[in-house]
Amino acid sequence: MTPPPITIDLAYRGIPEAAASFLFRTEDGPVLVESGPSSTLPTLQAALVAASVDPTSIRAVILTHIHLDHAGAAGWFADHGADVHVHPFGVRHLADPAKLNASARRIYGDALDHLFGEMHACPANRIHPSEDGEVVRYGRHEFTAIETPGHARHHHAWSIPLDDGRTCFTGDVAGMRVPGTDHPILPLAPPEFDPDAWNASLDRIDALGFDSLQLTHFGRVDDPGAHLERVRAQLAWETALAIRLVDDAAIDQPQRVAAYRADLHARAAANGVPVAARTTYLDDGGISMNLGGVKRYLKTSRSEPTKADHGSTGVFPTN
Ligand SMILES: [Zn+2]
């Protein structure tokens, strides 16, 4: 028996369906996919207790990547004996998050504490780097790592066969989704956003023919092919828009942000996203972050052949 996971709404910043952690009860003990940020650890702990799971009994935490909203709280579970599975590029920042936390603190200042909280360090002996294709087993549950760069270089999706079909935990590579709609939102996060790599990752997931996807932001998708097609279209449209604005020397940054926001809202409105949901889910920091991600991508891609070094994992931002 491998029933579907319990999807835990972390109520990130008090917003429903903004960030998830997923719980499996395996024969080897409870396993989480994504820990969420440190700021929602009390919510996650309470949800586990409500599901009759002692938070200190979590056997493993499987991470898609180490941005704060996915992995910030993993170290707390590792401190209590959980094994943590992560892309090899993420290992050193989990073991020693001082640089990551300092960089997040520089960006967010005091707001970091209520936004994400700092990354909790993982004991090094609890961290298990997973290569592409590696299978992690707990009881009858077999999680397979699928390297899926584009949002971040150190990004894995994780596939698992379940009683109701094959599903895939897509982290951020299959985008986010405004609750109650089909509309995708994309975190084009610096410093590792790469639209070509992202498209290749979408193709890779699509080709695997999953029965469902599980989005960290947020929840189960039952039409993977159609969803991935919407993400592809949004990625192409939004990258082109951001490049045009970043390259427009005639406007200043506030004008750039305003223009980007107006176009994002118009597209979401055309896809049936009500104004309240647009304000809640589109405006939240992602607009200037996305412009920063595209700016960084252009700088890197236009300075070929001096590519950014591959071992260095971007430590922020956090989506
Ligand atoms: Zn995220």
Side-chain angles (χ1 to χ4, degrees):
M1 279 274 291
T2 47
I6 296 170
T7 303
I8 297 172
D9 188 341
L10 298 174
Y12 172 65
R13 299 183 67 198
I15 301 170
E17 303 197 3
S21 175
F22 302 93
L23 169 66
F24 285 100
R25 302 170 197 271
T26 82
E27 294 80 0
D28 289 340
V31 170
L32 293 175
V33 178
E34 313 279 51
S35 69
S38 293
S39 58
T40 59
L41 178 59
T43 307
L44 176 54
Q45 290 167 328
L48 292 172
V49 169
S52 304
V53 172
D54 176 352
T56 65
S57 74
I58 293 294
R59 178 73 182 80
V61 181
I62 294 173
L63 298 173
T64 60
H65 61 305
I66 62 152
H67 288 168
L68 289 176
D69 55 329
H70 296 251
W76 186 87
F77 295 96
D79 270 348
H80 292 82
D83 289 311
V84 177
H85 300 274
V86 66
H87 190 288
F89 290 170
V91 169
R92 68 190 174 103
H93 288 299
L94 276 185
D96 179 8
K99 275 190 188 165
L100 187 153
N101 285 331
S103 142
R105 183 66 69 182
R106 274 196 302 279
I107 296 168
Y108 298 108
D110 289 343
L112 175 64
D113 299 305
H114 80 267
L115 283 175
F116 305 106
E118 292 197 350
M119 165 91 62
H120 195 112
C122 284
N125 64 348
R126 289 288 168 205
I127 306 173
H128 304 274
S130 296
E131 302 286 350
D132 184 31
E134 197 167 314
V135 178
V136 172
R137 290 186 179 82
Y138 289 95
R140 290 194 200 95
H141 294 69
E142 295 191 347
F143 300 87
T144 303
I146 307 169
E147 188 163 87
T148 37
H151 166 72
R153 278 197 208 107
H154 64 280
H155 192 291
H156 278 330
W158 290 90
S159 76
I160 179 170
L162 297 172
D163 292 342
D164 64 347
R166 292 166 56 250
T167 197
C168 183
F169 294 90
T170 51
D172 283 345
V173 75
M176 312 187 267
R177 184 177 55 175
V178 179
T181 79
D182 289 334
H183 185 67
I185 310 170
L186 301 181
L188 315 183
E192 298 184 337
F193 166 63
D194 179 336
D196 298 330
W198 198 326
N199 267 312
S201 293
L202 290 169
D203 290 346
R204 189 173 185 200
I205 291 173
D206 207 1
L208 290 167
F210 290 105
D211 297 300
S212 62
L213 306 176
Q214 308 281 345
L215 310 184
T216 306
H217 321 281
F218 182 98
R220 179 180 167 122
V221 170
D222 284 308
D223 55 348
H227 175 79
L228 293 169
E229 193 48 47
R230 286 189 287 269
V231 172
R232 254 188 222 101
Q234 182 76 17
L235 181 61
W237 175 83
E238 194 164 342
T239 302
L241 167 65
I243 288 175
R244 182 168 58 72
L245 291 170
V246 166
D247 279 343
D248 187 346
I251 54 175
D252 63 17
Q253 185 63 8
Q255 289 172 315
R256 206 167 274 130
V257 170
Y260 190 57
R261 178 179 182 276
D263 279 14
L264 280 189
H265 274 251
R267 186 172 167 95
N271 280 343
V273 180
V275 64
R278 297 206 301 273
T279 304
T280 302
Y281 294 95
L282 266 59
D283 287 352
D284 192 19
I287 290 173
S288 50
M289 178 186 81
N290 283 8
L291 288 169
V294 169
K295 190 173 180 183
R296 173 67 180 248
Y297 161 71
L298 291 174
K299 192 175 169 198
T300 306
S301 62
R302 286 171 178 170
S303 66
E304 299 277 6
T306 327
K307 275 266 183 189
D309 61 313
H310 263 247
S312 80
T313 291
V315 294
F316 68 89
T318 44
N319 283 300

